[in-house]
């Protein structure tokens, strides 16, 4: 898949762990609803796999890369082999 939508009602960390191979191989764009208690864990997982994360609710011209996932997180894959830790 080229796009992955995740709305797992606080289970987004489990979904991302389960999708680890997909994130490394297919590198889909991800739109993820992130519960407040999972913001840091989701950001760490996505950054580890080389994704830049943004607030999806903002218009593209207004987006800047985030260190912490937001409620509606948009994750864009960077080049293979590059991590954003």
């Amino acid at each position: 898949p080229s796009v992955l939508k995740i709305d797992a009602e606080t289970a987004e960390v489990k979904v991302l762990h389960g999708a680890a191979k997909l994130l490394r191989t297919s590198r889909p764009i991800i739109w993820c609803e992130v519960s407040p208690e999972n913001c840091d864990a989701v950001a760490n997982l996505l950054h580890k796999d080389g994704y830049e994360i943004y607030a999806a609710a903002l218009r593209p011209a207004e987006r800047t890369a985030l260190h912490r996932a937001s409620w509606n997180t948009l994750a864009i894959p960077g080049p293979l082999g590059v991590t954003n830790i």
Side-chain angles (χ1 to χ4, degrees):
S2 59
V3 177
L4 182 61
K5 171 70 169 88
I6 302 170
D7 183 354
E9 305 300 327
T10 73
E12 51 273 6
V13 174
K14 291 180 182 179
V15 171
L16 288 169
H17 275 297
K21 184 177 178 183
L22 177 76
L23 300 183
R24 287 190 309 271
T25 57
S26 293
R27 314 281 297 150
I29 293 171
I30 301 167
W31 184 6
C32 184
E33 186 174 285
V34 181
S35 58
E37 64 268 23
N38 291 327
C39 289
D40 291 323
V42 167
N44 290 338
L45 285 169
L46 291 170
H47 286 147
K48 177 182 67 72
D49 284 328
Y51 280 79
E52 287 283 342
I53 60 173
Y54 303 92
L58 297 176
R59 289 181 285 203
E62 298 172 338
R63 292 181 187 146
T64 58
L66 303 174
H67 296 289
R68 190 170 195 263
S70 65
W71 177 254
N72 281 307
T73 294
L74 176 65
I76 307 293
L80 286 173
V82 176
T83 58
N84 298 321
I85 297 175

